[in-house]
Amino acid sequence: NFLLPSAGWRNIDTVVYVVTDGESQDDVTSNAAYLKGSGAHVVALGITDLVNPFELDAIATTSDDVILVETFDDVQRAILEDIRGRNICAETTTTTASTTTTTTT
């Protein structure tokens, strides 16, 4: 629930990385739908060839948001590359203000 506005999370693009190294014992569909319904963009990252690709697709916002890596050592690199590709940290806001000076003589 911390991603919802009622928890103070406002006006921010949220990307959530769900990392798994196997197959879930539960149905991932309803929890994935709830997470996506919160407005989060969900990336599913599967480690090893033991993951279920259908579950990763159900978890991720789109099939383009599925990342597969072979080892745990590859996780950090994969996430950093994904962040760079999304320009998550690249947005800046610039505000300018004009000043009026009045001189009386």
Side-chain angles (χ1 to χ4, degrees), residues 4 14 66:
L4 300 176
T14 304
V66 174

Side-chain angles (χ1 to χ4, degrees), residues 22-41:
E23 191 167 340
S24 178
Q25 301 302 311
D26 303 314
D27 178 24
V28 300
T29 308
S30 62
N31 287 328
Y34 180 78
L35 183 57
K36 292 179 224 177
S38 73
H41 190 93

Side-chain angles (χ1 to χ4, degrees), residues 83-84 86-93:
I83 290 170
R84 286 185 193 116
R86 293 176 189 282
N87 291 320
I88 292 172
C89 299
E91 185 175 322
T92 58
T93 304

Side-chain angles (χ1 to χ4, degrees), residues 1-85:
N1 288 339
F2 82 95
L3 295 176
L4 300 176
S6 60
W9 205 265
R10 295 177 180 86
N11 301 323
I12 311 173
D13 291 336
T14 304
V15 178
V16 175
Y17 289 86
V18 177
V19 180
T20 182
D21 66 346
E23 191 167 340
S24 178
Q25 301 302 311
D26 303 314
D27 178 24
V28 300
T29 308
S30 62
N31 287 328
Y34 180 78
L35 183 57
K36 292 179 224 177
S38 73
H41 190 93
V42 183
V43 178
L45 193 149
I47 308 165
T48 77
D49 58 353
L50 301 175
V51 296
N52 180 332
F54 297 109
E55 284 185 349
L56 295 177
D57 280 334
I59 293 167
T61 299
T62 71
S63 59
D64 290 335
D65 297 312
V66 174
I67 301 171
L68 296 171
V69 296
E70 292 184 22
T71 68
F72 285 91
D73 292 333
D74 299 326
V75 171
Q76 183 177 4
R77 175 197 48 81
I79 291 174
L80 289 174
E81 286 178 5
D82 189 67
I83 290 170
R84 286 185 193 116

